[in-house]
Amino acid sequence: MEQTIIYERPSSMVDLRLNYCPGCGHGTAHRLICEAVDELDVRERTIAVAPVGCAVNAYDYFDFDVCEAAHGRAAAVATGIKRVLPDRLVISYQGDGDLASIGMAETIHAANRGENITVIFINNANYGMTGGQMAPTSLVGQITTTTPGGRNPSTEGYPIKMAELIATFPGVKYAVRTTVADVRGVRETKKAIRKAFELQLDGKGYSFVEILSNCNTNWKMTPVESNKYITNELVNFFPIGVYKDDYKE
Amino acid sequence: MSKRMLMKGNIALAEGAVIAGCRYYFGYPITPQNEIPEYMASRLPEAGGVFVQAESEVASVNMVLGAASAGARAMTTTSSPGFSLMQEGVSYLAACHLPCLMANVQRGGPGLGNIAASQADYFQAVKGGGHGDYHLIVLAPNSPQEMMDFAILGYELADTYRIPSLILSDGVIGLMMESVTVRDDYVPKPPAKPWALTGCKGREKNVIRSLWLDEDGVIINNNKLQAKYREIEKNEIRYEEYMTEDADVIAVAYGMPSRIARTVVESMRVEGLKVGVFRPITLYPFPYQRLADLASRVKSMLVVEMSAGQMVEDVRLAVNGKAPVELYGTPGGAFPEEAEVYRRLKSLLK
């Protein structure tokens, strides 16, 4: 019987074992980025900016040019690259501490300048790599190592909704929130990433894809439980959807 | 044909960078260096380049990191409190072996200080400032002409060694106007940058990084950095001497105080007093050996600097007890007085 390959490793993803915890969403997000890069046939003109945090080793997994950035500064680094090489696909890959806390200024101002870059924002509601401390996106009541009694808005404030915030800037052309917690979410995420890349390659302007992902280790859940937590709890505060699309089909 | 023009130091620096092939400037306003971003805002688009007013010094130095990663001659400039904010990025630039040009037109500190000229960021410029074991090539101009020339030299050295170059200037050199020979016949020849991030067409992927979580990566990178620094220390030491051949006392000064010291020495020579001036031009690499040689045959040295005493430590290190080293330091944006330089040199001659 003739065999047909229907699923394989994207050619722009290095054949390496990922260092992420089993069940973590980073691997899925990496794969979706690489699939989109392959489909658009732009591996040779893609430059990514790797974050500080769990995904810091992204440059080992992406088989295209990658620059490191200091914590929070990825959008500024991406700005510098894109201004020099405006015809390249420039991707900034960042976590929630990186993008919404220490790098909030860089994040907002790159969006406000309408830099023609794509920011992929992995929101797992805590600081994963450093051991599960509170992030700006941790939910009210969420127990983390630095909010042992649960996040209390009267002392720690409220979680920040980045996709909604980013969508307010005129320079932003596309801002969405998706998940990688279930099959449907993965499909939507892939569509969003591909669209964001296409808009950038067409010179349309800034695009932002927030992906709700899990941190089963620090959430102290099984991978399955953590994905259920996203679809049952996290989405209630961070609703999935398109917050801005200046180029609706 | 080169032309002569009356130019402010800050403008000379900016135009020098453009002549050197800089087409990407990222910066944030702060006095006393605002002429540089203001000039670049109109000059760079005219030259086919890009000017971005960043949201902060933190962002501007990281934009430089991105542009340098992409292989461009990129630049940022600032003044003391701004350079403090850039230190995180400076450490990353150094660790990532990225060539670029930066300038710190120093003002009085610490803290917000004032907007008067100062040299109190010497430690920050040559001893680190950011975290980790690293150096920058640090050039200290004392005229608008050198502001221009060192912008060009800074890029040449940066590209040769894949290292950030820093022009350590001060508010007076930045704002004074003098006749400058504009090097508009200069043709920049940046080397090929096969390491740059341009998209991996026809080659393996390139990665610009400073993080290694394995056992040896950071040590290997540090050893590479240190080997590079030894090479720079061997090849790139620059200094200027005035009347040091037979001097009994030598004033050691860089930047603006070196001009004051020279004026005083000129008048003392008229009186037949054997004094001279030694001016470090590269603050890193520092001219330790030449100062040591001079120390073995002078009565003493006088360090004149606009700080409470920073470069004096390197002079003492160089001299290593062979001669007494006195300090005339003026902190907080205060200016050294000619009469005081004269008085101190004369007393050291006795």
Side-chain angles (χ1 to χ4, degrees):
Chain A
M1 200 176 121
E2 203 178 317
Q3 288 189 329
T4 311
I5 295 171
I6 56 164
Y7 199 67
E8 61 183 337
R9 181 176 50 80
S11 62
S12 60
M13 197 157 175
V14 178
D15 188 7
L16 267 181
R17 191 158 61 183
L18 304 181
N19 66 338
Y20 303 116
C21 302
C24 167
H26 271 304
T28 310
H30 282 14
R31 184 189 163 95
L32 297 177
I33 288 168
C34 292
E35 281 180 4
V37 166
D38 283 1
E39 287 168 17
L40 297 167
D41 195 21
V42 289
R43 188 185 77 86
E44 293 182 333
R45 57 189 184 107
T46 296
I47 304 166
V49 182
V52 166
C54 286
V56 73
N57 287 325
Y59 41 59
D60 286 338
Y61 309 134
F62 295 145
D63 193 15
F64 36 78
D65 284 3
V66 187
C67 189
E68 175 186 284
H71 198 197
R73 318 298 172 219
V77 172
T79 296
I81 295 170
K82 188 71 182 190
R83 293 296 184 116
V84 175
L85 301 167
D87 64 338
R88 307 302 200 275
L89 179 72
V90 177
I91 308 164
S92 177
Y93 188 97
Q94 299 178 258
D96 38 31
D98 197 20
L99 179 135
S101 191
I102 193 167
M104 186 62 117
E106 286 81 357
T107 299
I108 282 182
H109 287 277
N112 191 47
R113 285 191 303 270
E115 294 292 340
N116 189 31
I117 60 173
T118 301
V119 175
I120 308 287
F121 170 41
I122 308 296
N123 177 2
N124 62 13
N126 79 149
Y127 286 11
M129 191 187 223
T130 46
Q133 297 84 5
M134 183 187 74
T137 48
S138 296
L139 295 185
V140 170
Q142 186 175 331
I143 291 170
T144 73
T145 57
T146 51
T147 52
R151 180 176 188 163
N152 177 354
S154 69
T155 46
E156 281 93 47
Y158 291 88
I160 299 175
K161 298 182 174 185
M162 289 307 301
E164 290 88 330
L165 175 61
I166 290 292
T168 62
F169 297 102
V172 172
K173 300 301 167 191
Y174 184 56
V176 299
R177 182 181 293 118
T178 64
T179 82
V180 284
D182 54 23
V183 174
R184 189 172 159 203
V186 170
R187 285 197 182 130
E188 291 296 316
T189 302
K190 170 67 182 298
K191 251 173 65 186
I193 289 173
R194 184 170 162 144
K195 175 158 182 167
F197 289 176
E198 283 172 337
L199 289 177
Q200 185 191 154
L201 290 165
D202 290 345
K204 303 288 194 201
Y206 183 99
S207 49
F208 183 86
V209 181
E210 174 172 346
I211 303 170
L212 297 180
S213 184
N214 60 358
C215 183
N216 44 288
T217 300
N218 288 312
W219 291 357
K220 305 193 190 317
M221 295 177 190
T222 66
V224 172
E225 284 167 356
S226 68
N227 284 336
K228 279 187 182 153
Y229 177 78
I230 293 173
T231 50
N232 296 334
E233 303 286 335
L234 215 51
V235 296
N236 294 330
F237 191 82
F238 296 113
I240 54 173
V242 178
Y243 289 91
K244 187 163 196 185
D245 186 354
D246 282 359
Y247 297 94
K248 277 198 192 92
E249 278 159 23
Chain B
M1 269 287 285
S2 294
K3 58 175 183 277
R4 287 188 74 74
M5 284 178 73
L6 189 63
M7 280 181 121
K8 205 179 248 194
N10 284 333
I11 305 290
L13 171 67
E15 182 57 27
V18 175
I19 290 169
C22 171
R23 293 294 178 271
Y24 301 92
Y25 178 93
F26 308 93
Y28 189 79
I30 182 170
T31 307
Q33 61 84 55
N34 291 321
E35 292 79 7
I36 304 173
E38 286 166 357
Y39 183 81
M40 289 305 211
S42 56
R43 182 72 176 93
L44 277 179
E46 172 190 301
V50 172
F51 166 86
V52 179
Q53 180 167 324
E55 60 270 29
S56 67
E57 287 87 349
V58 178
S60 37
V61 73
N62 282 286
M63 289 175 187
V64 167
L65 189 145
S69 297
R73 280 191 164 170
M75 180 192 198
T76 189
T77 61
T78 187
S79 182
S80 305
F83 197 54
S84 290
L85 283 170
M86 289 184 183
Q87 292 312 304
E88 173 195 77
V90 173
S91 168
Y92 279 73
L93 283 163
C96 293
H97 303 259
L98 287 172
C100 65
L101 186 67
M102 301 178 287
N104 177 359
V105 183
Q106 297 170 90
R107 58 188 262 180
L112 206 47
N114 56 27
I115 56 168
S118 166
Q119 294 183 315
D121 304 344
Y122 177 90
F123 285 153
Q124 188 184 48
V126 306
K127 307 290 184 194
H131 58 284
D133 285 320
Y134 75 87
H135 288 289
L136 312 170
I137 286 182
V138 183
L139 301 166
N142 78 349
S143 65
Q145 180 70 59
E146 286 190 346
M147 290 286 260
M148 174 169 286
D149 295 348
F150 290 1
I152 297 167
L153 175 65
Y155 273 117
E156 286 176 350
L157 294 173
D159 275 340
T160 301
Y161 295 98
R162 289 184 60 188
I163 186 172
S165 289
L166 171 69
I167 296 179
L168 190 67
S169 183
D170 64 63
V172 171
I173 302 295
L175 293 173
M176 75 192 300
M177 288 183 93
E178 276 185 342
S179 175
V180 171
T181 301
V182 179
R183 296 178 58 186
D184 48 8
D185 55 350
Y186 177 85
V187 181
K189 292 190 190 88
K193 299 181 178 179
W195 48 264
L197 307 178
T198 53
C200 59
K201 192 170 185 177
R203 58 161 169 79
E204 296 283 295
K205 70 169 174 177
N206 282 339
V207 174
I208 304 275
R209 66 192 292 185
S210 68
L211 177 95
W212 288 268
L213 293 174
D214 58 41
E215 274 179 25
D216 304 323
V218 174
I219 296 169
I220 291 168
N221 193 47
N222 268 279
N223 287 336
K224 276 187 199 162
L225 287 170
Q226 292 303 317
K228 171 159 83 182
Y229 300 148
R230 297 299 90 75
E231 197 64 21
I232 291 168
E233 286 160 7
K234 206 166 68 189
N235 303 330
E236 306 300 345
I237 289 169
R238 288 167 169 78
Y239 52 84
E240 184 184 76
E241 295 183 34
Y242 177 70
M243 297 284 206
T244 52
E245 302 82 8
D246 61 343
D248 290 329
V249 174
I250 289 177
V252 184
Y254 70 98
M256 193 56 207
S258 69
R259 295 174 66 128
I260 296 168
R262 180 162 170 149
T263 304
V264 174
V265 164
E266 278 169 3
S267 65
M268 291 178 80
R269 280 282 173 175
V270 174
E271 291 178 48
L273 301 170
K274 288 188 171 179
V275 287
V277 183
F278 182 88
R279 172 168 80 104
I281 289 173
T282 49
L283 299 179
Y284 179 83
F286 193 76
Y288 289 108
Q289 187 56 51
R290 181 59 189 157
L291 274 167
D293 294 345
L294 289 170
S296 59
R297 60 174 179 75
V298 298
K299 276 190 190 164
S300 59
M301 292 189 179
L302 174 70
V303 174
V304 184
E305 56 177 326
M306 294 189 288
S307 78
Q310 297 194 14
M311 183 181 72
V312 66
E313 292 191 8
D314 277 328
V315 176
R316 288 197 173 119
L317 204 60
V319 167
N320 199 18
K322 285 184 213 147
V325 176
E326 188 178 307
L327 167 69
Y328 173 34
T330 56
F335 219 59
E337 289 176 22
E338 282 182 25
E340 184 63 11
V341 177
Y342 179 93
R343 192 187 69 75
R344 294 201 185 211
L345 285 174
K346 201 156 183 188
S347 76
L348 290 172
L349 279 166
K350 285 175 189 160

